[in-house]
C-alpha cells in the first residue's frame, strides 16, 4: 500500500479503555515512523489522492465507482487524480451514483432497528437539513465536458444492479452513502466486477472513528466476513477510513 494502514478490530471491540490505549500506542508508532501522516491535518481530497495513487501506480484494472456522490466534490478529486497521474489510463472512468434526495424511509427504519441511536439521529438530521437534496442537473452540468466523469441518477440499489462499467472492471468502490442497505446491495451487485487488488473503501469521518457500527461499516464488515477478506482501517491526517482489498 502507498498509505499507512493496519488490521481493524475497533468495530468489533466493546472495551473503550482498551481501544483508547491501543489507539495511543499506534499513534505514537505512527508519529515515529510516518510523521508526515499525522503532523499535517488532512481534508478528504488528500485521502482520495492517496487512494488513487495506490490504484494507479499498481495498475489495478478498472473504473472508479463512488456511491453517494452528492454535489460531486469527491468525484472531481478522483477524476483529477487520474488526469494528473503519469500512470493513468485515459480509458479509466469515474462514476458517481446518487439519488439526490437523501435517505429512504426504509433506510431510517433499518438504522433504528440495527444501529446505535446516534447513527439514526445523524441520518434524520441530514434529512431535516435537506443536506443531500441536490438538483442532479446541476451536478451533471458541472461535468458535462468531462470525458472521464459520468453521473448515475437513481436509487443505488437499482442503478448498481443495472450497471456495467465501461472497462468491464472496478478498481475502487468508494462508499459515502451513509446508509446500510444501499451500501450492502451495491457491494453485492458490483463485486462481480472487482478486479484483483481492487479496494472497497468507506468514508469513516474524522479521527478517532466511532466505537460503534454505522450502516457503511456494517456493510463493509459483512462483505469482509462473507468473502473472507481482511478489513483494515487507515487515516490521512485527521480523516479516518475503513477498507477491504480484493484478493
Amino acid at each position: 500500500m502507498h498509505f499507512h494502514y493496519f488490521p481493524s478490530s475497533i468495530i468489533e471491540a466493546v472495551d473503550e479503555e482498551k481501544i483508547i490505549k491501543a489507539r495511543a500506542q499506534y499513534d505514537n508508532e505512527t508519529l515515529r515512523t510516518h510523521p508526515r501522516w499525522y503532523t499535517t491535518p488532512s481534508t478528504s481530497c488528500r485521502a482520495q489522492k492517496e487512494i488513487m495513487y495506490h490504484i494507479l501506480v499498481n495498475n489495478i484494472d478498472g473504473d472508479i465507482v463512488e456511491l453517494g456522490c452528492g454535489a460531486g466534490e469527491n468525484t472531481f478529486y478522483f477524476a483529477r487524480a487520474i488526469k494528473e497521474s503519469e500512470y493513468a489510463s485515459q480509458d479509466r472512468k469515474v462514476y458517481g451514483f446518487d439519488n439526490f434526495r437523501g435517505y429512504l424511509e426504509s433506510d431510517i427504519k433499518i438504522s433504528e432497528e440495527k444501529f446505535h441511536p446516534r447513527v439514526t439521529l445523524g441520518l434524520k438530521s441530514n434529512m431535516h437539513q435537506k443536506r443531500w437534496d441536490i438538483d442532479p442537473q446541476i451536478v451533471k452540468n458541472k461535468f458535462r465536458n468531462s470525458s472521464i466523469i459520468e453521473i448515475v441518477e437513481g436509487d443505488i440499489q437499482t442503478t448498481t444492479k443495472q450497471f456495467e462499467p465501461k472497462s468491464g472492471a472496478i478498481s475502487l468502490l468508494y462508499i459515502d452513502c451513509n446508509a446500510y442497505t444501499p451500501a450492502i446491495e451495491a457491494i453485492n451487485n458490483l463485486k462481480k466486477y472487482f478486479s484483483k487488488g481492487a479496494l472497497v473503501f468507506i468514508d469513516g469521518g474524522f479521527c478517532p472513528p466511532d466505537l460503534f457500527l454505522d450502516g457503511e461499516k456494517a456493510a463493509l464488515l459483512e462483505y469482509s466476513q462473507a468473502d473472507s477478506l481482511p478489513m483494515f482501517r487507515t487515516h490521512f491526517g485527521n480523516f479516518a477510513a475503513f477498507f477491504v482489498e480484493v484478493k
Side-chain angles (χ1 to χ4, degrees), residues 43-55:
T43 59
S44 61
C45 65
R46 175 177 163 191
Q48 277 103 43
K49 185 175 181 180
E50 298 286 357
I51 295 166
M52 285 305 304
Y53 180 76
H54 171 81
I55 294 288

Side-chain angles (χ1 to χ4, degrees), residues 84-230:
E84 293 179 353
S85 174
E86 62 184 292
Y87 304 99
S89 165
Q90 296 304 312
D91 294 331
R92 204 184 289 260
K93 289 185 71 69
V94 178
Y95 296 94
F97 285 75
D98 210 304
N99 66 7
F100 299 102
R101 294 182 287 109
Y103 316 115
L104 306 179
E105 288 185 12
S106 57
D107 295 328
I108 303 295
K109 183 177 180 180
I110 288 173
S111 180
E112 289 174 335
E113 294 172 352
K114 293 177 68 72
F115 305 119
H116 192 283
R118 278 175 53 189
V119 175
T120 305
L121 182 63
L123 298 183
K124 288 182 175 180
S125 176
N126 285 338
M127 290 299 288
H128 178 72
Q129 297 171 21
K130 296 186 176 181
R131 184 179 179 187
W132 308 126
D133 191 359
I134 301 169
D135 184 344
Q137 198 56 50
I138 293 176
V139 182
K140 292 175 182 178
N141 288 342
K142 184 188 301 185
F143 302 121
R144 65 181 181 275
N145 296 321
S146 173
S147 60
I148 296 177
I149 296 172
E150 182 175 329
I151 302 299
V152 183
E153 179 185 358
D155 183 351
I156 287 174
Q157 298 175 62
T158 301
T159 53
T160 54
K161 187 180 295 184
Q162 301 166 344
F163 173 75
E164 182 177 349
K166 180 181 177 183
S167 68
I170 293 173
S171 58
L172 171 65
L173 178 63
Y174 188 87
I175 303 173
D176 194 12
C177 59
N178 300 326
Y180 168 78
T181 303
I184 192 61
E185 289 294 325
I187 290 172
N188 289 332
N189 290 339
L190 298 175
K191 65 181 183 179
K192 60 187 175 184
Y193 298 116
F194 293 166
S195 56
K196 183 178 181 180
L199 300 180
V200 182
F201 251 91
I202 63 169
D203 177 350
F206 293 106
C207 292
D210 291 324
L211 302 179
F212 49 79
L213 285 173
D214 59 23
E216 292 175 344
K217 292 191 188 78
L220 188 67
L221 178 62
E222 186 176 319
Y223 167 59
S224 168
Q225 293 174 336
D227 284 47
S228 300
L229 296 169

